[in-house]
Amino acid sequence: MSEQKTASLEMFRAYKSIGDQAMTPAEERFERRRQTSGLILAPLLGAVMLFAPLDLPWNQQSLAAVFIFTMVLWLTEAIPIPIASLLGVALMILFGVAPANEVLASFGNTIVLLYLGAFFLAQALLKHGVAQRIAYSVLGSRVVGDSVVKMIVAFGAVTCVFSAFVSNTVTVAMLLPTALGLIVAVSRQLGQEDPTKLRIGTALLLMLSFSASIGGAITPVGAPHQLIGRDLIEAATGNTISFFSWVGVALCAAIPLFGFLVLLLTKLNKPEVTRLAGLRDSMRAEREKAGRMSRGGVAVLAVFGLVVIGWLTPGFLGLVAGTESEIYTAVGDVLDEGIVAIVGAALLFLIPVAWKKREFAMTWGDAVKTDWGTLLFIICAAAFGSQLSSTGLAERVGQLLGDTFGVADVVVLTFVAVLLAILISEVGSNLAAVGVVVPIVISICTASGIDPTLPALAATFGSSFGFMLPISTPQNALVYATGAVPITRMVRSGIVFDVLAAVFVTASVTLTGRLFGIV
């Protein structure tokens, strides 16, 4: 099967390489114009805000100017988002928004440990090939057999599970060669010379991409911007959103959403065949070729399981014994998510896999592959959120918006927040969506006397979604780059799924938020 995979990759590259297909000329022109507009508009709008004759204290007006400046850079990506974030933090200090020790307090937040620990664990899972082994086991099972639809569902399920803990983009890149090999096998059975023309290919690849976004929203560590959103909510409201509570609410949206995704993709891109002869046998052969799981793989799975238990335990105790109970308080103080993550990651550097060679499950060479840019954005976004609240600017902006547009029903406000976050994710980035929408939603709710927890949480979920365009998410770009996903089919499937996602997220958050103790 490995030879088939290599051949399949070469066949797809023969049509258009990833570099060529990542963006069309029209999309490249759009991106250049977007970046250029950011370089012009960011300082211009920031200066207008800074010198506008407004009845605001200096720290609020200067913060508003810096935030607008930074927000434009985020949305247009005129410069790398992490650099724009660092620049924004520096400008807050230079313009006297607050002293340096207050602005930089977020650099000591436990969210840093949570992100680092989660990333180290994800790197270990990939290093020891745990994800591929599980994928082959699922695809080679009797449940899937030779059924094409079950294969598509299985691909989506495996992708969801791993993207809940591993980067969406890495998960898709890891499973993409297997998907391409299967598409080529189908094309050969059907006598189709061009595998990129198959509807089954479109359905399988869109399932791979879209299910990664769904899975990434299931846990707070599934995507970096979700940690930012949760931190902003907790800082503004004082409510703690536990790992357990997040997963409970997210699953109530993810499970039905996944079901509708299967129906949508198989109806709009109906597979040419219902069964693929030899599918199960080829997957079992790949699994057998990989052999038994290594010591490192076993160690990583064991540590990963312990970490997940540590993340879920406080929330489960809160649900059973109540959040006011002594046991919940004691366990919650000890099992801080950031501490659990970093202890679990540290264990990987202590568990030997080849003692004579002094080889361990994880090395520092693996660890330094961390996405430090995203970590910087998380820290800087938390700094902005803290200052928006402490200076009183968020409350003032919320009051202004509430007076202008009126006080909306919490369900309507939640739905609008999700749609706005999805829209920004479509043309910008997930990071920009949560950094822009969540503070605005919190401001409006606070000024209107509405608890912002649920609407802001829904907006955070919404920022994880963007299904319509190749530029919406990196995983969309990856599958589009194969040439097997026409832009028209991605847009047609994506726009329907965007609306479905907004509906299910709104329903899940508003109906189950109290059940899982979020408010």
Side-chain angles (χ1 to χ4, degrees), residues 283 310 514:
M283 291 296 100
R514 294 185 185 279

Side-chain angles (χ1 to χ4, degrees), residues 131-278:
Q132 290 94 329
R133 291 172 185 273
I134 293 178
Y136 290 142
S137 297
V138 172
L139 291 171
S141 67
R142 290 184 178 180
V143 175
V144 176
D146 293 334
S147 169
V148 170
V149 173
K150 288 181 180 179
M151 174 193 71
I152 294 173
V153 173
F155 247 97
V158 170
T159 304
C160 274
V161 170
F162 279 100
S163 62
F165 301 96
V166 181
S167 160
N168 297 346
T169 307
V170 172
T171 300
V172 170
M174 173 185 64
L175 296 175
L176 187 58
T178 301
L180 297 182
L182 290 171
I183 295 170
V184 169
V186 174
S187 71
R188 287 172 177 166
Q189 283 196 13
L190 298 178
Q192 170 65 263
E193 294 183 1
D194 186 352
T196 66
K197 304 300 183 183
L198 296 175
R199 293 189 302 274
I200 184 176
T202 301
L204 182 61
L205 293 174
L206 287 180
M207 172 60 79
L208 194 60
S209 177
F210 290 4
S211 60
S213 293
I214 296 174
I218 291 176
T219 70
V221 299
H225 60 274
Q226 293 172 173
L227 294 176
I228 298 170
R230 189 178 69 163
D231 189 69
L232 291 172
I233 296 167
E234 292 180 343
T237 65
N239 295 332
T240 298
I241 303 175
S242 69
F243 192 95
F244 178 86
S245 298
W246 179 295
V247 172
V249 173
L251 281 176
C252 289
I255 292 174
L257 196 57
F258 182 80
F260 272 91
L261 177 62
V262 174
L263 292 174
L264 177 69
L265 293 183
T266 54
K267 293 299 181 183
L268 294 182
N269 308 280
K270 188 175 182 180
E272 288 81 356
V273 292
T274 57
R275 302 188 68 81
L276 179 61

Side-chain angles (χ1 to χ4, degrees), residues 47 51 79 111 161 164 169 396 441 501:
F51 297 109
I79 61 176
I111 194 175
V161 170
T169 307
R396 186 175 287 242
V441 171

